[in-house]
Amino acid sequence: MRPIPPWPRLRRGLEHDYTILTVREDIVADPRTGQEHPRVRIDCGDWVNVIAVTREDQLVLIRQYRFGISAVTLEVPGGIVDPGEDPALAAARELEEETGYVAGRVVALGSVHPNPALQGNRCHSYLALDCVKAHEGHPDAGEDIRVELHPREAIPRLILEGSITHSLVVVAFYLEHLRATAPR
Amino acid sequence: MRPIPPWPRLRRGLEHDYTILTVREDIVADPRTGQEHPRVRIDCGDWVNVIAVTREDQLVLIRQYRFGISAVTLEVPGGIVDPGEDPALAAARELEEETGYVAGRVVALGSVHPNPALQGNRCHSYLALDCVKAHEGHPDAGEDIRVELHPREAIPRLILEGSITHSLVVVAFYLEHLRATAPR
C-alpha cells in the first residue's frame, strides 16, 4: 500500500491568542492534487491527569464547574503542564493543589493526543499511589473544587452511567486497566 | 457538603468563526467572590466514532494525516454529526464514506465530553457489527484515508505501544470493553 504523504502548509493564517491556547487557520495543500484546504489548529500546552489512590485504596476524585458544558463534572485531578515542567511533577503538583493529597509514588500510565485533528498537545496519565491528605488544597483563583473519595471498583459504573464523562479521564482509567492486566 | 454554584456569564466576547468550529472568550463571575475571569469556549457539532467489526471478526481501522500533530494516525472511522442527524446514522455514514464498509447493525456504546472545560459538544461511540465491504469508500475532498483490518485482540497492544493515540478512539474501545464485561 502506498504511504500517506504529509500535507504541506502553504500559508499560516492569522493567529488569535486566548492566553490558555492560540487558534490559527492555516492553508494546506493536498499532495495528490495540489488543491488548497483550510485547516484549524489549536495550540496549547500538554495536559496531565492523575488517578490518585489513598492508602485505604480509595480514589481521590473532584467535582468542579466546567465552562464548556456549563455544568459540574466528576473527574480526576489534573491540569496544564507548565513550560519545561516534568509531566510527572505536574501530576503530583496538580493533585496537591486541587485536593491537598500528597502522593507517595507516581507511575506513568501513558499519553494520548486529546485531538490530533486540531491540537498538537498530549495528555499524560499517571497513577499516584499511597496518597495522604496533607492540607485542604490550594486551588488557583478561579477554581472551585470539591474533593470526593470513591472506591476503585465504582469506576466502570460511574463511566457507564454517565457520571464520569470527560474523555481524558476515561482514557486514564483505561490505560490503568490495560497496564494492570497486560501480559508481562 | 455545600453544592457547587454555577458561574454566571457576565459578557460574551468576540466570536471567531473557523467554519468547523467557533471560538469565543467570555467573562464569567466567581459566584463566591464576584471576581471576573475570562473563559475560552470552543463550539462545534457532536462527533461520532465507530468500532466496525467484519463478519470475519476483524476491525476496520483507518490511517490518515492529522494536522494538529502533523503526522499520520491509526484510528477508527468517525467524523462530525451533521445538524439534525441521528448520531447512529452519522456513525454508519462516516464508516461507509471513509472505508466502503456497510454495517449490518449499529449499537450505541455511550457518549463522552471531548473536553468539558472548553467544548460543549459530545462524542458518541458506536459498535458496528457484521460489516461488509461494499465499495472503495467516498471520502470528502481533503481526506486521504487508508483502510486496514486488524484482529480485535490487537487493540490493547496498539494502545499501550502508542500506535493508537487519539483519546476519543481509546474511549470508544474502553466503552466497548466495559459494556462487554458489565454485570447484567
Side-chain angles (χ1 to χ4, degrees):
Chain A
M1 193 180 280
R2 72 200 155 87
I4 302 177
W7 290 43
R9 183 173 64 198
L10 300 181
R11 298 185 294 282
R12 272 174 80 112
L14 189 65
E15 195 163 277
H16 294 280
D17 185 347
Y18 296 94
T19 311
I20 62 158
L21 54 84
T22 60
V23 185
R24 201 176 65 225
E25 191 173 56
D26 293 337
I27 302 298
V28 301
D30 186 330
R32 301 165 299 177
T33 61
Q35 200 181 347
E36 298 189 5
H37 295 273
R39 286 291 180 268
V40 179
R41 191 183 158 96
I42 299 171
D43 276 306
C44 45
D46 280 2
W47 299 330
V48 286
N49 270 325
V50 53
I51 298 174
V53 188
T54 69
R55 289 188 176 160
E56 296 74 35
D57 212 33
Q58 296 280 298
L59 297 185
V60 184
L61 301 185
I62 63 173
R63 282 189 203 270
Q64 61 186 323
Y65 187 78
R66 290 300 209 172
F67 295 90
I69 61 169
S70 303
V72 172
T73 59
L74 182 62
E75 300 184 8
V76 298
I80 300 172
V81 181
D82 290 335
E85 188 179 28
D86 181 313
L89 296 181
R93 175 182 57 71
E94 288 285 351
L95 170 63
E96 184 176 349
E97 286 176 6
E98 293 189 339
T99 71
Y101 278 85
V102 173
R105 191 159 62 95
V106 171
V107 180
L109 295 172
S111 72
V112 294
H113 291 113
N115 191 335
L118 298 170
Q119 300 163 216
N121 71 334
R122 284 190 166 265
C123 180
H124 309 278
S125 295
Y126 290 91
L127 178 63
L129 298 167
D130 293 326
C131 294
V132 175
K133 183 90 173 174
H135 53 77
E136 289 307 307
H138 308 294
D140 291 340
E143 286 185 327
D144 181 18
I145 288 171
R146 301 290 191 287
V147 177
E148 295 181 5
L149 296 180
H150 288 258
R152 261 167 173 292
E153 58 272 20
I155 296 303
R157 181 182 52 77
L158 290 171
I159 294 171
L160 284 175
E161 77 185 17
S163 296
I164 292 177
T165 66
H166 192 317
S167 67
L168 295 167
V169 176
V170 174
V171 164
F173 283 115
Y174 194 27
L175 292 177
E176 194 215 359
H177 169 78
L178 288 177
R179 296 220 170 264
T181 56
R184 314 241 158 204
Chain B
M1 193 180 280
R2 74 201 153 85
I4 302 176
W7 291 44
R9 182 174 65 196
L10 300 181
R11 297 186 293 284
R12 272 174 80 112
L14 189 65
E15 195 162 277
H16 293 280
D17 185 346
Y18 297 92
T19 311
I20 62 157
L21 52 86
T22 61
V23 185
R24 201 176 67 224
E25 191 173 58
D26 292 337
I27 303 298
V28 301
D30 185 332
R32 301 164 301 177
T33 63
Q35 200 180 345
E36 298 188 5
H37 295 273
R39 287 290 180 270
V40 178
R41 189 181 160 97
I42 298 171
D43 275 306
C44 45
D46 280 3
W47 299 330
V48 286
N49 270 324
V50 52
I51 298 174
V53 188
T54 69
R55 289 188 176 159
E56 295 73 36
D57 213 32
Q58 297 279 299
L59 296 185
V60 184
L61 302 184
I62 62 172
R63 283 190 203 270
Q64 61 186 324
Y65 187 80
R66 289 300 209 170
F67 295 90
I69 61 170
S70 302
V72 172
T73 59
L74 182 63
E75 302 185 8
V76 297
I80 300 172
V81 180
D82 290 334
E85 188 180 28
D86 181 312
L89 296 182
R93 175 183 56 72
E94 288 285 351
L95 170 63
E96 184 177 348
E97 286 177 5
E98 293 189 339
T99 71
Y101 277 86
V102 174
R105 190 159 63 94
V106 171
V107 180
L109 296 172
S111 72
V112 294
H113 291 113
N115 191 336
L118 297 170
Q119 300 164 216
N121 70 334
R122 284 190 167 265
C123 180
H124 309 278
S125 296
Y126 290 91
L127 177 63
L129 298 168
D130 293 326
C131 294
V132 174
K133 183 90 172 173
H135 52 76
E136 289 307 305
H138 309 295
D140 290 340
E143 286 186 328
D144 181 18
I145 287 171
R146 300 293 191 284
V147 177
E148 296 181 6
L149 296 181
H150 288 258
R152 263 166 172 292
E153 58 271 20
I155 296 303
R157 180 182 53 77
L158 290 172
I159 293 172
L160 285 176
E161 76 184 17
S163 295
I164 291 177
T165 66
H166 192 316
S167 67
L168 296 167
V169 176
V170 174
V171 163
F173 283 116
Y174 194 26
L175 292 177
E176 194 216 359
H177 169 80
L178 288 176
R179 295 219 171 264
T181 57
R184 311 244 158 203

